Amino acid sequence: MSEAGSREPLRVAVVGAGYFARYHLRAWQRIPGASLAAVCDVDRARLATVADDCPHAARFDDLAHMLDAVRPDLVDIVTPPPSHLELVRTAAACGAFVVCQKPLAPTLDDARAVVAAARSAGVGLAVHENIRFTPWHREIGRLLRAGTLGRLHNITMRLRPGDGQGRDAYLARQPYFQRMPRFLVHETAIHWIDTFRYLGGEVRAVLAWLRRLNRFIAGEDAGHVLLALDGDVSALFDGNRLNGHPSDDPRRTMGEMWVECEGGVIRLAGSGRLYLQPHGGEEREHPYAFADREFAGDCVHALQSHLVAHLRDGAPLENAGADYLRNIEVEEAVYRSAAEGRWVRLDD
């Protein structure tokens, strides 16, 4: 692997050629210091469909063959969760740094095994948790760290992507969503569990009510999750995948957010714009620059650039596999709370 500070481009291999992998493939080719060397998928027909997204990358239908032929510095796994453990084991055995798409694994025990596999092989592991890397969440984080509106009190995320209606829900993009026995929290709210931790601190207890609104899917698709964070901060995830919210692109922000502080409120609109309302004053737009391209403000590119900075320049790593396990512990506490109808404290 290229050492920190090396000027050689990192050789990147992507495993998976499905719907979301295309965002990864296009982003890798725009990042200085990275070279997309190969893409692998066991489905040859699906592999052929990504040719336009990575015309200069070699294509393989066998992972071991690809690893032996390419010798990548970084392996990017973009496949459904049940495949992750074996893929991480195989990629880590070749000595490559591994980044693995979320959900990291179907269960907490499997996620721990994924982390252990990378640790045992002596390689780095990151989780592709991209929502904290959206430009609006990075700007909200900057405003909070700067103390612009004083001490944080509460964060509320009202998720309304409007893509979960009826028999055909999710089939156009990610059909396996319909079959997931755990859906809203495991697949979607986990993004905001991670983002709440990024913005507000560690989660200490959770209270949850979950339900299924669309009878054609297996898992829950609506619910409320209340999290108690350090410093008497609360965070509320109000999620419903069936209804929409005001936006020309409901998938840009997936909903609306309010960040309440002692000196006022930061509001995220569905447009990606931010608004500040000082306590007792008028709301005004907070101007900041962001690229409205690809998925969610180009957050895939931002995350992958972050990985390159870590590997080439030694920059601190967010969402390291071992650290990410806390998100999954919170997820497990959410499902336990919903099943038992009570607050569940972590670390008890």
Side-chain angles (χ1 to χ4, degrees):
M1 178 178 293
S2 299
E3 298 295 329
S6 169
R7 295 303 95 191
E8 290 296 318
L10 295 169
R11 293 177 61 77
V12 177
V14 174
V15 182
Y19 161 73
F20 205 80
R22 297 183 177 216
Y23 293 111
H24 291 234
L25 294 169
R26 292 194 290 261
W28 282 123
Q29 293 169 95
R30 293 164 42 217
I31 299 173
S35 173
L36 179 61
V39 57
C40 177
D41 197 298
V42 294
D43 186 327
R44 294 184 180 183
R46 186 164 55 202
L47 190 61
T49 66
V50 301
D52 291 341
D53 291 308
C54 50
H56 304 296
R59 294 189 290 280
F60 297 85
D61 60 10
D62 180 83
L63 177 58
H65 184 198
M66 180 186 74
L67 295 174
D68 185 61
V70 174
R71 298 292 177 183
D73 298 306
L74 184 151
V75 175
D76 183 6
I77 296 172
V78 201
T79 61
S83 66
H84 289 172
L85 178 54
E86 287 307 313
L87 292 175
V88 169
R89 282 175 173 160
T90 301
C94 83
F97 184 96
V98 181
V99 55
C100 187
Q101 183 59 262
K102 51 64 59 189
L104 183 57
T107 68
L108 177 57
D109 285 344
D110 285 345
R112 287 170 173 160
V114 169
V115 172
R119 182 186 297 118
S120 184
V123 302
L125 171 70
V127 181
H128 192 103
E129 180 56 81
N130 50 55
I131 293 298
R132 71 156 61 194
F133 286 92
T134 60
W136 36 89
H137 290 137
R138 302 311 271 195
E139 181 64 7
I140 292 170
R142 189 190 69 80
L143 292 171
L144 290 175
R145 289 190 299 272
T148 302
L149 291 176
R151 185 169 68 90
L152 175 64
H153 290 165
N154 182 68
I155 309 171
T156 298
M157 174 62 193
R158 185 176 180 271
L159 179 111
R160 296 292 190 277
D163 60 352
Q165 294 274 0
R167 188 184 296 273
D168 295 332
Y170 318 115
L171 293 182
R173 288 192 300 266
Q174 290 158 298
Y176 67 93
F177 280 7
Q178 285 203 353
R179 304 185 298 274
M180 296 177 76
R182 290 181 169 187
F183 178 48
L184 178 70
V185 179
H186 182 62
E187 198 291 321
T188 305
I190 190 69
H191 282 306
W192 279 272
I193 290 171
D194 180 73
T195 300
F196 291 156
R197 293 179 64 216
Y198 165 66
L199 295 175
E202 199 52 81
V203 179
R204 298 303 175 191
V206 303
L207 178 65
W209 176 48
L210 307 175
R211 62 200 192 280
R212 185 183 65 170
L213 298 180
N214 185 345
R215 64 186 179 89
F216 295 108
I217 71 171
E220 83 285 355
D221 55 2
H224 294 75
V225 179
L226 179 61
L227 301 99
L229 280 62
D230 282 338
D232 290 328
V233 174
S234 66
L236 175 64
F237 176 84
D238 169 6
N240 175 333
R241 292 207 62 146
L242 282 76
N243 295 109
H245 68 282
S247 179
D248 62 310
D249 178 5
R251 288 176 56 78
R252 182 183 294 116
T253 64
M254 302 283 278
E256 300 166 287
M257 178 181 278
W258 292 262
V259 180
E260 299 168 288
C261 304
E262 61 183 351
V265 179
I266 306 167
R267 179 173 66 90
L268 168 65
S271 62
R273 293 178 177 178
L274 292 174
Y275 297 85
L276 270 61
Q277 183 177 13
H279 184 66
E282 296 294 322
E283 184 180 75
R284 58 179 173 78
E285 184 172 356
H286 170 72
Y288 75 109
F290 71 90
D292 186 15
R293 64 182 298 181
E294 296 286 357
F295 174 71
D298 217 14
C299 63
V300 172
H301 181 274
L303 184 152
Q304 293 174 186
S305 297
H306 172 77
L307 296 177
V308 171
H310 170 68
L311 291 171
R312 285 172 57 86
D313 304 317
L317 177 65
E318 296 183 33
N319 284 347
D323 297 334
Y324 192 82
L325 288 177
R326 182 65 173 191
N327 290 335
I328 306 175
E329 291 169 357
V330 175
E331 175 192 320
E332 288 296 317
V334 169
Y335 281 112
R336 183 179 170 191
S337 172
E340 299 178 3
R342 65 178 183 88
W343 278 97
V344 172
R345 296 189 177 278
L346 284 88
D347 302 325
D348 281 353

